[in-house]
Amino acid sequence: MASGIGGGTSGLAARQADLVAALVADGPVPPGFDPALLDATRRALLRKRAGEAAKVWPLLAASLGAEWPRAFAARRAGHEPVGALRDGWDIARALQRCGELGTGAAAELAERETAFRYDGHSDPRPRSRSRVRRMIAMLTGRP
Amino acid sequence: MAVAGVAEAVAVAAVAERHALLPAGVGVGWRPEIAGWVAGLPGPAFCEVIAETLAPAAPPRGVVELRERGIPVVPHGVRLSLGGAEPVEGSRVRHLAACAAALQAPLVSEHVAFVRAAGHDAGHLLPVPRTREALDVLATNIRRTQAELDVPLALEPIAALFDWPDDEYSEPDFLTELLERTGALLLLDVANVYANAVNRGQDPEAVLDRLPIDRVAYVHVAGGGEHADDPGIYHDTHIHPVPRAVLQLVERLVERTAGPPPVMLERDGRYPPAAELRAELEAIAAAVGRPAPGDTAVAG
């Protein structure tokens, strides 16, 4: 699963890549590391990402309430960090596909789908300047 | 005797110079979410802003207003990856330098950490192995960064839940060697010292005794706690209140420094009501023995 990250067995660069893979991409625990502490780190990173995504997707996070960190972890574990905007976007789309997206969260998703073109693989691109301005105004609460 | 006296005077002067980079007192990490609250503080000693969130050509209004009030703002980098085996990216270094220039900052800071490897991002600060190889990597990246900067660089040791299996140095020894080799200053995060010591089963105060605190430029304080999923592990979260034990460690630090160092609160989420944030600043001020922002009387 971690193929593509790391791959080498010697040298600091390869060892750092293997560690990153273990923490964010379901890679194996590199030799000599404490598996329980790496796992605690992996879960702490997911909680931190969930908190960051909640700032960008407040209605999505609110729709899941106290379950948000767990729901986030369940869907994003093994996916390397791609930024709070994409993390939340992928979750919102997945929930929508299963018909589990709440009304407010659906409106939040629709707003972003209108403002950005997101292919699910690379950073969302603005569809037009005026829409981006509206988007920024909405996110910052400033006209 | 005379030589020793001169050396001592030079050392004291060097410490004074480091402290003079920022006014002694209590500051706070500026974040967009608490911009209004920070703007309403009568007088934070200084602020810090995450460099990667700042556009040097157009800093946020709140940050500009702080500068107009004469309050120093320190750009704090989180994505340079100075401990990464790959060379530090020139564009990131130039951005940090541009932030310093735009804010007329007296210094900038970054971490003893790596955040990405082989093009993949951890999304977080990760520890480097405390080895000679990693020291070389860090020193090279730090010197490359310093070469682009017009102001001093302070380095912050991070909180980490795990260590590498092949550590050759203790954390204080590793840090001392790194600062000696690079001439960098220390951004001491007391909460990180507390977290690492507690999680390694060490006495935080004993760790403090071995750190190069004569090189402290300024100090971070942040909150944390245990999580239900990981009983027995202290997480440095920046989204919880500052525990009493961390404030007590600040008191122990101040006992060991020549004068009260500049200290600031880092809060990165789950922002409490203004009164609670204010109380956190006052508690930090009391621990340092300095007035809280806006107070005229010395607290504590």
Side-chain angles (χ1 to χ4, degrees), chain A residues 37, chain B residues 159-163 191-202 204 225-226 230 232-236:
Chain A
L37 292 181
Chain B
L161 299 182
F162 64 91
D163 290 307
N192 289 353
V193 173
Y194 175 80
N196 288 345
V198 164
N199 289 334
R200 287 174 186 146
Q202 298 168 340
E226 288 194 15
D230 306 305
I233 294 179
Y234 181 88
H235 292 274
D236 177 61

Side-chain angles (χ1 to χ4, degrees), chain A residues 78-133:
Chain A
H79 296 268
E80 66 174 293
V82 287
L85 181 62
R86 283 178 61 190
D87 268 341
W89 208 314
D90 288 347
I91 292 173
R93 280 182 176 174
L95 289 174
Q96 191 168 55
R97 277 196 295 275
C98 357
E100 293 172 15
L101 195 64
T103 314
E108 190 174 55
L109 175 62
E111 179 82 26
R112 283 163 174 71
E113 298 281 11
T114 306
F116 291 90
R117 192 184 306 279
Y118 176 41
D119 63 7
H121 301 288
S122 49
D123 284 342
R125 311 271 299 248
R127 289 182 193 270
S128 82
R129 285 178 186 279
S130 62
R131 282 177 175 140
V132 172
R133 274 200 291 274

Side-chain angles (χ1 to χ4, degrees), chain B residues 50-72:
Chain B
I50 303 297
E52 284 80 359
T53 67
L54 192 80
R61 193 190 307 157
V63 171
V64 172
E65 284 169 3
L66 287 169
R67 290 298 303 120
E68 285 168 356
R69 290 166 62 195
I71 294 164

Side-chain angles (χ1 to χ4, degrees), chain B residues 1 15 24 43 66 78 86 122 128 150-151 163 184 200-201 219-220 236 239 260 277 294 297-298:
Chain B
M1 287 272 289
V15 169
L66 287 169
V78 296
E86 294 115 2
V128 296
D150 297 322
V151 292
D163 290 307
R200 287 174 186 146
V219 173
H220 275 176
D236 177 61
I239 63 171
L277 273 179
V298 173

Side-chain angles (χ1 to χ4, degrees), chain B residues 167-267:
Chain B
D167 286 342
E168 298 161 4
Y169 297 80
S170 69
E171 193 170 3
D173 291 347
F174 187 78
L175 201 60
T176 302
E177 174 94 18
L178 184 64
L179 299 186
E180 273 174 18
R181 281 176 64 170
T182 60
L185 301 174
L186 178 59
L187 163 49
L188 186 61
D189 188 318
V190 173
N192 289 353
V193 173
Y194 175 80
N196 288 345
V198 164
N199 289 334
R200 287 174 186 146
Q202 298 168 340
D203 171 14
E205 201 176 335
V207 175
L208 211 52
D209 276 330
R210 300 195 49 222
L211 286 168
I213 54 176
D214 60 320
R215 300 197 63 84
V216 168
Y218 67 110
V219 173
H220 275 176
V221 177
E226 288 194 15
H227 190 272
D229 291 353
D230 306 305
I233 294 179
Y234 181 88
H235 292 274
D236 177 61
T237 62
H238 299 193
I239 63 171
H240 293 96
V242 180
R244 183 66 213 143
V246 169
L247 291 171
Q248 284 167 341
L249 197 57
V250 173
E251 291 170 7
R252 300 292 84 77
L253 170 69
V254 172
E255 289 167 5
R256 289 160 169 79
T257 52
V263 179
M264 55 157 275
L265 173 69
E266 270 189 310
R267 182 82 183 209

Side-chain angles (χ1 to χ4, degrees), chain A residues 4-6 11-13 15-17 19-20 23-24 31-33 37-38 40-41 43-45 47-48 55 70 80-81 142, chain B residues 33 83-85 114 117-118 120-124 126 128-129 133-134 137 161-166 227 229-230 233 235 268:
Chain A
I5 298 187
L12 186 59
R15 297 181 67 213
Q16 288 184 336
L19 180 60
V20 171
L23 290 173
V24 301
F33 283 89
L37 292 181
L38 281 199
T41 303
R43 284 181 281 109
L45 296 189
R47 286 197 296 271
K48 183 183 160 214
K55 289 182 191 171
R70 282 183 205 287
E80 66 174 293
R142 282 199 299 266
Chain B
E33 295 91 336
F114 78 104
H120 294 272
D121 208 305
H124 194 66
L126 296 176
V128 296
E133 182 188 17
V137 159
L161 299 182
F162 64 91
D163 290 307
W164 287 66
D166 49 338
H227 190 272
D229 291 353
D230 306 305
I233 294 179
H235 292 274
D268 287 315

